[in-house]
Amino acid sequence: MLNRRNFLTAAVGVAATAGLAACAKEDGSSSDSSGGGSKAITLGFAQVGSESGWRTANTDSVKASAKEAGFKLQFSDAQQKPENQISAIRSFIAQKVDVIAFSPVVVTGWDAVLKEAQAAKIPVVLTDRSVDSDESLFVTLVGSDFTDEGRRAAKILEKVLEQAGHKGKVKIAQLEGTTGAAPAIERAKGFKEVMDAEHKDDWEIVASQTGDFTRAGGKQVMQAFLQSNPDIDVLFAHNDDMGLGAIQAIEAAGKKPGKDILIVTVDGVKDGFVAMSEGKINAIVECNPLLGPQLMEVVKTVHEGGKVERWIKTEESDFMQDQAKDALPTRKY
Ligand code: GZL
C-alpha cells in the first residue's frame, strides 16, 4: 500500500510553480507563452466508473481542465472493473500517449501494466486513489489522505454524539466502500485508529460490509443491518451515496435518519448537503473531487521533464449539520 505518510505532502504550490503557460487554441493544439507552437499533450485517463456523485464531479473536473489546458484527452470509464482499466492503459500505451493518469479501482494488480508503461517511457500519474505497487512505477499521487478522512469521521462523530446527548455505549454500523479500494481500506483504518485510542470501552462496530460506494448498495446493506441489528445508534458510511441509500432503508423501517440513527458520511456532494440540511445526515467529512486543475498542472510539468512532489494533497474540511444550509449555495459539486 502506498504509505502516504512517506511522501512529502505539498500544498497546491505545484500549481503556482508550474503554471499552465500554454494557452488552448480552438483546435486543441496549444502554444506556450513564448508564442512557439507545440503539439498538444495527449493524456490517457482511465476513470473508475460513474458509481457516485463524487465520481461524476471528478470526471467533469478532469474533462473541463483538460479542455482548458488544450490537452487531447483519451478518456475511458472502467465501470468499476480493474480489468477494464488495465485494458484502457494498454490501449493508451499502444496509442503512444504522452502521459497516463488513472484512479485505480483497487490497490492491487497493477505491477505488470505499470511496468509496460515504464518500458514504453510513458509517465503514469495516480489521481484520487493509490496503489499497492512499487513507487518507482508512478510519478506522483494527486489526491486526498483517506486515513485522515477516517480519523476526521471519528472525531466529528464525537461532536455529533455530544450534540445528540447520547450517553453510554455506541453501536456503530459501517458501510464500507468498494472492497480493496484505497478509500475503503484507509477510511476504515483511520476510523478504527481513533476508536482504539479513545473509545475502546464505549464504541463498538456491530456490523460492517461493503456497499460498493453506490446508493443501491448502501440501501440493500442497510436493510440487512437493520434486520440483524435493530439497535444501531450510528451509521458511518464511507461515502454520501451509500449514506443516501441507507437513509431510504432507515425510513422504510420506520426510523428517523439523523435522529434514531446518527449518520456521518464522507465526500460532501450536493445531495449529501441537502440531506444534511433536512436533518437526515449529522456530519460530512469532505473529500474534494475537483482534482482536474491540479492534475493538468502535474501532467504538463511531468511532460516537460519537471519535478513534482510524490503526493499533491487536496485541501478539504468537515461540516456539522448546522453549517449545511449556509454552505449549500457555495458548494461546487
Ligand atoms: C474518494 C473516491 C471515492 C469517493 C466515492 O477519493 O475514490 O470513490 O469517496 C467514490 O464517492 O465512489
Side-chain angles (χ1 to χ4, degrees):
M1 167 74 74
L2 175 78
N3 179 340
R4 297 161 183 258
R5 292 219 171 269
N6 287 346
F7 290 112
L8 287 172
T9 58
V12 191
V14 72
T17 49
L20 256 189
C23 45
K25 288 184 178 163
E26 277 314 300
D27 64 1
S29 65
S30 66
S31 61
D32 60 29
S33 55
S34 60
S38 64
K39 188 169 86 58
I41 293 172
T42 301
L43 169 65
F45 188 92
Q47 180 58 294
V48 165
S50 50
E51 73 284 359
S52 64
W54 190 100
R55 189 63 55 196
T56 305
N58 180 248
T59 291
D60 293 348
S61 176
V62 167
K63 288 183 172 174
S65 302
K67 187 169 180 354
E68 173 76 18
F71 294 173
K72 194 160 170 288
L73 180 68
Q74 310 284 11
F75 183 91
S76 94
D77 173 335
Q79 293 161 342
Q80 287 191 285
K81 293 186 174 61
E83 59 273 24
N84 290 351
Q85 280 189 313
I86 290 172
S87 320
I89 292 169
R90 288 202 162 112
S91 79
F92 296 152
I93 294 170
Q95 294 169 51
K96 296 186 174 25
V97 299
D98 296 308
V99 181
I100 291 170
F102 76 116
S103 171
V105 177
V106 292
V107 296
T108 53
W110 304 100
D111 289 0
V113 75
L114 292 178
K115 283 178 182 155
E116 290 165 30
Q118 194 172 59
K121 298 192 176 6
I122 300 175
V124 174
V125 173
L126 295 183
T127 167
D128 173 24
R129 298 183 183 179
S130 54
V131 294
D132 186 7
S133 286
D134 186 296
E135 289 148 11
S136 65
L137 292 173
F138 54 90
V139 176
T140 184
L141 166 71
V142 180
S144 304
D145 183 339
F146 301 135
T147 305
D148 205 40
E149 290 171 352
R151 293 190 199 99
R152 286 158 46 200
K155 293 309 284 179
I156 209 163
L157 175 56
E158 290 170 352
K159 282 198 231 166
V160 167
L161 287 163
E162 191 191 344
Q163 257 186 20
H166 185 98
K167 299 274 178 271
K169 299 284 185 194
V170 183
K171 291 178 184 292
I172 301 167
Q174 178 174 229
L175 278 170
E176 301 167 18
T178 303
T179 303
I185 295 166
E186 295 177 32
R187 284 169 187 165
K189 180 173 153 240
F191 190 87
K192 189 172 180 304
E193 254 179 39
V194 174
M195 262 188 71
D196 291 349
E198 297 164 37
H199 297 286
K200 233 178 178 44
D201 303 328
D202 53 344
W203 292 11
E204 182 193 359
I205 293 182
V206 295
S208 190
Q209 195 178 323
T210 182
D212 209 18
F213 281 132
T214 66
R215 290 195 193 196
K219 180 177 180 180
Q220 192 182 0
V221 173
M222 192 67 204
Q223 280 165 342
F225 281 171
L226 289 167
Q227 271 148 25
S228 50
N229 300 275
D231 54 353
I232 289 168
D233 300 307
V234 167
L235 169 66
F236 168 40
H238 288 184
N239 80 331
D240 295 348
D241 284 74
M242 291 190 294
L244 293 165
I247 284 169
Q248 293 171 26
I250 293 167
E251 289 175 328
K255 291 179 179 256
K256 281 193 174 50
K259 296 230 178 337
D260 301 331
I261 296 180
L262 303 171
I263 300 180
V264 173
T265 64
V266 186
D267 276 352
V269 297
K270 199 172 288 297
D271 287 352
F273 269 81
V274 169
M276 193 153 69
S277 69
E278 292 167 350
K280 296 182 180 180
I281 290 179
N282 300 87
I284 293 182
V285 169
E286 187 182 43
C287 175
N288 189 342
L290 308 181
L291 304 175
Q294 286 173 295
L295 175 61
M296 300 315 150
E297 307 285 2
V298 166
V299 166
K300 184 174 184 299
T301 303
V302 167
H303 179 60
E304 292 168 350
K307 287 269 169 282
V308 292
E309 300 290 347
R310 286 292 304 174
W311 177 19
I312 317 292
K313 201 172 173 182
T314 37
E315 301 304 318
E316 41 204 35
S317 39
D318 306 331
F319 296 86
M320 291 292 284
Q321 196 173 86
D322 57 10
Q323 297 170 280
K325 279 199 172 64
D326 292 346
L328 247 174
T330 66
R331 299 300 298 165
K332 298 193 183 75
Y333 61 93

